[in-house]
Every structure is written in structure tokens, then in C-alpha cells.
Amino acid sequence: MNIYTEDEALLELLEYGKTNDKRYKKLPKEAVKGFLKAVKYLTLATRIEDLYRFKGLNYEALQGTYKGFESVRCNDTWRLIFKSYSQEGSFIVTEVSLIKISHHYE
């Protein structure tokens, strides 16, 4: 999958493992480590079903305010929210747009 985001703070986290953005500056190290691991697994997957193999990710399609988005866990309390796009008429996911890292109970 091709991973992209318009969020500069997420790009900094991917590249440097830290950011000065106030939303993620105080993110626990375990959550950052989990974020990097989740992005790695998203990159390796070709279908959403591939994410079910990685037990620690706890992939889920979201409901309510985030209906149409999906998430995987960074750690016990933080999750990565993203949106996947597949080729027309296919199960193969070609792109994933990273939206944000959110507190799981937000």
C-alpha cells in the first residue's frame, strides 16, 4: 500500500520519531513506537484482511463520528485513524491516508 498524509506532524513522527506539534509532543514513547509499527504493517498489507493477521493491531472499521474511517492500535490507549482506498472493483488496497493519532476513548 502507498501511505500518505497531509498532516505535517505525522510526517515528522514517521521521519524522526518525534514532533514539536502540540497534539503529539507529549505522546508516550510506546505510542510512537506502536505508530511506526502500525505504519510498517500497513505498508506490507495488500488487502485490509491482511491486517487481521497482526493481532496487536486490532483493526476495526469505525462508526459514529468517524464512520467510513478505520483504525489500528498504536498501544492500549492510542490508535491510528486512517482511510483506505482500493482499486475499483477489487479487494486490493492501493492507498492509505493517515488521518490522526487519537486517544482510544476520545
Side-chain angles (χ1 to χ4, degrees), residues 5-6 13 15 19 21 24 48 59 72 76-77 82 85-86 89 95 106:
T5 184
E6 295 179 7
L13 278 175
E15 190 169 339
T19 182
D21 188 288
Y24 306 128
I48 289 300
Y59 166 82
V72 291
D76 290 340
T77 57
F82 64 94
Y85 302 93
S86 60
E95 293 185 345
E106 198 174 80

Side-chain angles (χ1 to χ4, degrees), residues 9-91:
L10 289 178
L11 289 174
E12 285 180 16
L13 278 175
L14 277 172
E15 190 169 339
Y16 306 113
K18 60 182 178 178
T19 182
N20 287 325
D21 188 288
K22 67 180 180 177
R23 294 174 294 158
Y24 306 128
K25 189 172 185 170
K26 294 187 180 184
L27 201 62
K29 288 181 183 182
E30 300 84 30
V32 173
K33 187 176 178 182
F35 164 72
L36 296 173
K37 181 175 111 178
V39 170
K40 175 184 154 191
Y41 287 139
L42 284 171
T43 304
L44 295 173
T46 56
R47 302 177 310 152
I48 289 300
E49 289 79 12
D50 293 343
L51 298 176
Y52 291 119
R53 292 186 316 188
F54 306 113
K55 298 197 186 285
L57 291 181
N58 293 345
Y59 166 82
E60 63 181 329
L62 299 177
Q63 299 175 357
T65 306
Y66 289 106
K67 186 174 182 161
F69 293 95
E70 301 143 285
S71 76
V72 291
R73 295 275 178 93
C74 295
N75 70 2
D76 290 340
T77 57
W78 295 91
R79 63 184 177 178
L80 173 61
I81 298 175
F82 64 94
K83 185 159 180 75
S84 63
Y85 302 93
S86 60
Q87 295 175 343
E88 193 169 319
S90 174
F91 292 109

